[in-house]
């Protein structure tokens, strides 16, 4: 990844686009209501992270948050500690209620497609009917505010309905996708002791059906706190499980009206999980009010989502981007869902969906766009007339992928590269509708997020590679990790390096424009003779070589202060790792970056190990190559392709 983006932007917002953006409306509102004038976005950002109380109260007022009681104070923080920060004390809110205030018979609530179903619509009337019935069923099952309702469901309307129903009662939601291993699901759900479990009988992927009924029976038997279980027939509409209720019958539960239980601002909304590459996944718990406020800010003000827009992000129910995409309904969007593989029946399936569903905001993982680019996906003939923005997250999007999108997808489109995490169920850095887009660069730090790059001495730096930190609390930071005594795991996860400062674990650079370049995880950062190198730079160069389809690099510390940096590459079909190809790869790294980027050795492997959420597993691979037991280095139940670790477990350590 290049250190300096080209001076010429890939996209510049038109004057009309800027003037009609929600961000501009927010700035105008601040001027009229608060007498605050900001010359540009950077001045606005500076105010938002300096006067936290006024900023977050302004978001509350501008987005017309509905509270069932008055709040007394916006922010209460003791001893400058992030943990225990209180927001909007006294307020009582409901997340689902804010979604249903946008119900409109003139447009669908949800559109969805899967490998086995064509594009369909769910009206607001039908959504309200289904949510009301499931909420009534949960209430009859004894579910009250604070109880946990969990799901193992494909990315279809049923998962959204189940979440909204649980949330309407003040219950806490948590979900895993059906492709999780049973142990991985148990490692998550056993921590939070659910009262009700909603499962599917299976799922389809890449044209194949996967029966999960045996796994679901095992799951049910090992969750002793369950009072009720519901089966959603997905793979086979005649599927049955003993001692479970059928989703079709649950939807027939009578009710009068859909009611919403207001809960305190810091009441738990859902539990999401760290990737769990080592040890049990952390059960990260977010608040109803914190996520409500953060999602209204991120999706309304930053992503410019408006009532009637159609919002899509390719995800599963086990990734926080599912939660984030559902949040688009807070802004009045129609939620578009897809369940299945991105490459089945062709790599054009999601682009076809964007055209058919008239999607306004299209999102996916960086790996998806890179795969499309590598496969030479042709989008000739597509018009994408409604497409306003394309979003990317999961890993850094390299410059060549930025340029591919503008050359092959749409010239006049706003490319939003996001980076955040499960930790806040949102983004720290991302899009700004009033700023240009530069190749390989994230547009801005988001409002209310005091993000800095720290050098080795803990000082903020600009135009230099640094540790990504957040120096002020945000409402959607976890209220706690479930069953985390004295917040020990919470504190160890973010606050061990810098007292009262959140260390996120990424290497970043903030340039003079305020743009951000992310170089990869700091815990997998490469160290060559004391010089820190982000893995994203290596991948950007190596994967631009046509013969290479994927890669992984680690740096191993050795005795005497030496380092060994092996590069592992997946080759395109029919290619061989010859000496000439190795020289070509090394030349690419040397010419694009520096001699320090050239690996000490290059090895071929069949596939790179990935987490289920699509992150390369650099740190676990490094641990295995350093001699740690593979079973302790990574949990295979959290992996997309657990067999990929076998290569490293069997790798001849004499070679390193």
């Amino acid at each position: 990844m290049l250190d300096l983006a080209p001076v010429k932007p890939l996209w510049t917002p038109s004057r009309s686009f800027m003037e009609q953006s929600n961000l501009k409306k927010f700035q105008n509102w601040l001027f009229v209501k608060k007498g605050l004038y900001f010359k540009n976005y950077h001045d606005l950002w500076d105010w938002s992270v300096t006067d936290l109380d006024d900023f977050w109260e302004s978001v509350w007022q501008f987005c017309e948050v509905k509270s069932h009681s008055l709040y007394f104070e916006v922010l209460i923080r003791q001893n400058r500690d992030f943990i225990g920060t209180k927001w909007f004390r006294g307020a009582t809110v409901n997340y689902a209620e804010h979604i249903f205030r946008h119900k409109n018979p003139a447009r669908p609530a949800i559109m969805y497609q899967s490998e086995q179903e064509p594009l369909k619509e769910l009206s607001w009337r039908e959504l309200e009917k289904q949510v009301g019935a499931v909420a009534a069923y949960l209430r009859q099952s004894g579910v009250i505010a604070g109880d946990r309702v969990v799901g193992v469901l494909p990315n279809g309307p049923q998962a959204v309905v189940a979440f909204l129903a649980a949330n309407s009662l003040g219950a806490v939601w948590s979900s895993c996708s059906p492709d999780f291993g049973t142990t991985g699901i148990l490692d998550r759900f056993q921590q939070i002791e659910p009262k009700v479990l909603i499962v599917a009988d299976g799922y389809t992927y890449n044209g194949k059906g996967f029966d999960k009924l045996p796994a679901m029976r095992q799951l049910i038997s090992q969750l002793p706190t369950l009072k009720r279980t519901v089966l959603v027939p997905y793979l086979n509409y005649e599927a049955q499980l003993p001692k479970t209720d059928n989703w079709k019958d649950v939807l027939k539960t009578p009710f009068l009206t859909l009611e919403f239980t207001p809960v305190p601002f810091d009441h738990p909304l859902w539990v999401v999980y760290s990737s769990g590459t080592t040890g049990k996944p952390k059960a990260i718990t977010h608040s109803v009010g914190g996520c409500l406020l953060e999602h209204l800010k991120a999706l309304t003000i930053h992503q410019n989502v408006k009532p009637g827009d159609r919002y899509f992000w390719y995800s599963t129910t086990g990734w926080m981007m599912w939660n984030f995409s559902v949040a688009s309904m807070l802004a009045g969007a129609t939620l578009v869902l897809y369940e299945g593989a991105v490459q089945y029946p062709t790599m054009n399936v999601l682009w076809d969906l964007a055209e058919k569903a008239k999607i306004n905001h299209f999102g996916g993982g960086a790996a998806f766009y890179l795969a499309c680019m590598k496969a030479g996906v042709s989008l000739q003939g597509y018009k994408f007339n409604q497409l306003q923005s394309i979003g990317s997250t999961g890993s850094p999007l390299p410059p060549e992928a930025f340029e591919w999108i503008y050359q092959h997808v749409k010239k006049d489109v706003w490319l939003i590269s996001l980076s955040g995490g499960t930790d806040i169920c949102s983004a720290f850095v991302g899009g700004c509708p009033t700023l240009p887009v530069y190749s390989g660069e994230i547009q801005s730090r988001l409002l209310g997020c005091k993000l800095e790059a720290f050098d080795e001495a803990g000082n903020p730096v600009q135009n230099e590679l640094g540790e990504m930190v957040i120096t002020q609390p945000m409402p959607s930071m976890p209220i706690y990790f479930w069953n985390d005594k004295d917040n020990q795991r919470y504190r160890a996860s973010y606050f061990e390096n810098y007292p009262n400062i959140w260390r996120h674990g990424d290497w970043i650079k903030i340039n003079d424009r305020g743009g951000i370049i992310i170089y990869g995880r700091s815990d997998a950062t490469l160290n060559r003779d004391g010089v820190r190198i982000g893995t994203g730079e290596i991948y950007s160069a190596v994967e631009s070589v046509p013969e290479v389809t994927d890669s992984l690099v680690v740096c191993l510390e050795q005795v005497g202060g030496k380092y060994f940096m092996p590069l592992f590459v997946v080759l395109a079909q029919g290619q061989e790792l010859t000496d000439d190809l190795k020289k070509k790869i090394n030349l690419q790294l040397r010419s694009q970056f520096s001699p320090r980027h050239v690996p000490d050795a290059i090895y071929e492997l069949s596939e790179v190990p990935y987490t289920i959420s699509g992150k390369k597993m650099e740190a676990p691979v490094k641990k295995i190559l350093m001699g740690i037991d593979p079973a302790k280095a990574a949990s295979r139940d959290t992996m997309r392709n657990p067999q990929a670790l076998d290569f490293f477990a069997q790798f001849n350590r004499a070679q390193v």
Side-chain angles (χ1 to χ4, degrees), residues 249-515:
D249 296 326
V250 170
L251 293 182
K252 296 174 185 175
T253 308
F255 71 100
L256 293 176
T257 58
L258 174 57
E259 298 176 352
F260 302 100
T261 302
V263 294
F265 188 93
D266 59 358
H267 184 85
L269 170 66
W270 49 45
V271 178
V272 290
Y273 304 92
S274 64
S275 57
T277 49
T278 57
K280 284 189 184 291
K282 296 183 281 284
I284 301 170
T285 310
H286 295 123
S287 70
V288 173
C291 283
L292 173 62
L293 206 55
E294 169 62 30
H295 289 160
L296 283 168
K297 180 210 75 178
L299 286 147
T300 302
I301 297 174
H302 275 282
Q303 280 203 255
N304 203 37
V305 180
K306 299 178 180 179
D309 282 355
R310 295 183 175 184
Y311 189 95
F312 168 79
W313 205 289
Y314 178 74
S315 180
T316 71
T317 57
W319 187 24
M320 55 77 46
M321 288 308 298
W322 178 85
N323 308 66
F324 192 79
S325 63
V326 171
S328 68
M329 301 176 81
L330 292 169
T334 292
L335 174 63
V336 184
L337 304 171
Y338 183 79
E339 167 65 19
V342 298
Q343 71 274 16
Y344 181 83
T346 72
M347 284 292 293
N348 289 60
V349 64
L350 296 186
W351 300 114
D352 290 340
L353 176 64
E355 191 88 313
K356 281 186 298 182
K358 299 179 179 178
I359 289 170
N360 304 106
H361 307 277
F362 178 96
F368 166 69
Y369 302 111
L370 287 167
C372 288
M373 183 181 74
K374 283 279 187 181
V377 168
S378 173
L379 298 175
Q380 286 187 344
Y382 291 76
K383 298 189 183 302
F384 298 129
N385 289 332
Q386 284 76 27
L387 191 59
Q388 299 169 22
S389 73
I390 293 178
S392 173
T393 194
S395 58
L397 189 68
E400 55 268 29
F402 273 72
E403 286 147 19
W404 180 84
I405 287 169
Y406 281 100
Q407 290 169 9
H408 296 275
V409 183
K410 190 176 182 180
K411 290 181 180 179
D412 184 22
V413 72
W414 174 26
L415 177 53
I416 304 172
S417 182
L418 289 173
S419 184
T422 302
D423 320 80
I424 62 163
C425 206
S426 186
F428 296 114
V429 294
C432 175
T434 60
L435 294 177
V437 172
Y438 292 89
S439 183
E441 191 175 304
I442 297 173
Q443 285 178 290
S444 66
R445 294 175 278 190
L446 298 196
L447 296 174
C449 177
K450 187 72 160 78
L451 180 143
E452 303 282 3
F454 271 16
D455 64 14
E456 298 252 2
N459 300 312
V461 292
Q462 203 157 354
N463 289 317
E464 291 182 29
L465 189 65
E467 183 85 54
M468 174 178 151
V469 298
I470 294 89
T471 63
Q472 295 285 4
M474 297 169 63
S476 66
M477 285 175 171
I479 43 176
Y480 45 74
F481 291 176
W482 204 274
N483 283 339
D484 179 22
K485 186 178 180 182
D486 298 326
N487 292 308
Q488 290 179 2
R489 296 188 80 192
Y490 188 176
R491 201 169 295 281
S493 296
Y494 309 111
F495 302 108
E496 281 194 336
N497 291 66
Y498 309 102
N500 299 323
I501 290 176
W502 175 297
R503 172 187 173 271
H504 194 62
D506 283 332
W507 289 122
I508 65 166
K509 183 182 290 183
I510 303 170
N511 63 27
D512 289 332
R513 287 190 289 269

Side-chain angles (χ1 to χ4, degrees), residues 1 10 18 22 63 83 91 117 140 154 209 236 247-248 258-259 266 304 309 367 410 440 446 490 518 532 584 619:
M1 196 174 292
L10 292 172
M18 289 191 285
N22 288 331
C63 295
I83 300 174
E117 287 186 295
Q140 290 173 16
N236 173 12
W247 181 256
K248 290 176 283 188
L258 174 57
E259 298 176 352
D266 59 358
N304 203 37
D309 282 355
K410 190 176 182 180
L446 298 196
Y490 188 176
I518 296 183
R532 297 175 298 183
K584 185 176 181 180

